[in-house]
Amino acid sequence: MTYEDLLPSLIANQMAAISPGKIYQPPFPKWYNPDATCAYHGKTLGHSIEQCLALKYKVQHLIEVGWLTFQEDRPNVKTNPLANHGGGAVNAVESGRPRRSKPLKDVTTPRRFIYEALQKEGVIPRGGHGEDSCLMHPGLLHNMETCLAVEDLLQ
């Protein structure tokens, strides 16, 4: 929150009042900005409200005495790790449709690779040899990409 946003709230809650600022004459201090005005000092030239030390000290004092606090709207892991949702009850539980596995005909990974990986993990018992065209049916002359038994197993 900027000091420009904060000042109207401080004035409305009677925590601050606009006080006329000093009007400087040449030679000006180093920090003097002739293009900036301070709302806290009644639009006096010389500095902006964001550089106003008097307002910064006022805000710091109000914080120290407990009259001014800033509450964050987003979660803060130091004070409250969960966002404020208007109560301690669960408002809704959503469930999506159950995930279905991709049809085997749409899988681009070779069936032999999948089958060997499942064998390696112990999901499917070992069978066949590396030179067999179908590890499920050793000695038959069909490959794993066209084997209906492999398709049923993997699907």
Side-chain angles (χ1 to χ4, degrees):
M1 173 177 270
T2 64
Y3 287 100
E4 188 174 0
D5 295 336
L6 180 61
L7 183 61
S9 177
L10 293 176
I11 292 171
N13 291 306
Q14 299 178 349
M15 292 185 196
I18 294 176
S19 61
K22 182 177 178 182
I23 299 174
Y24 288 92
Q25 301 294 329
F28 297 116
K30 282 185 171 184
W31 52 262
Y32 187 84
N33 181 355
D35 299 325
T37 60
C38 178
Y40 182 62
H41 287 122
K43 302 286 184 185
T44 303
L45 292 175
H47 63 274
S48 71
I49 193 169
E50 299 304 320
Q51 280 78 39
C52 182
L53 292 177
L55 180 59
K56 288 180 180 185
Y57 291 136
K58 179 72 171 179
V59 169
Q60 184 63 42
H61 176 73
L62 292 170
I63 291 170
E64 287 171 359
V65 296
W67 287 13
L68 181 64
T69 59
F70 294 95
Q71 184 177 9
E72 293 185 27
D73 290 336
R74 60 182 181 259
N76 182 337
V77 294
K78 292 181 181 174
T79 59
N80 181 10
L82 302 174
N84 184 10
H85 292 290
V90 175
N91 293 329
V93 175
E94 292 185 27
S95 72
R97 59 188 172 119
R99 276 187 74 194
R100 295 198 176 150
S101 57
K102 196 177 207 181
L104 193 59
K105 64 182 176 66
D106 295 339
V107 175
T108 58
T109 306
R111 291 181 186 178
R112 185 178 191 95
F113 178 81
I114 297 170
Y115 193 88
E116 287 174 343
L118 291 173
Q119 276 186 331
K120 183 179 177 184
E121 294 299 319
V123 177
I124 298 173
R126 294 216 176 253
H129 303 309
E131 64 274 357
D132 290 325
S133 58
C134 180
L135 295 176
M136 196 164 185
H137 302 111
L140 293 180
L141 298 176
H142 66 272
N143 65 23
M144 295 189 74
E145 301 304 315
T146 58
C147 181
L148 295 176
V150 171
E151 181 177 347
D152 289 341
L153 178 72
L154 296 181
Q155 189 60 53

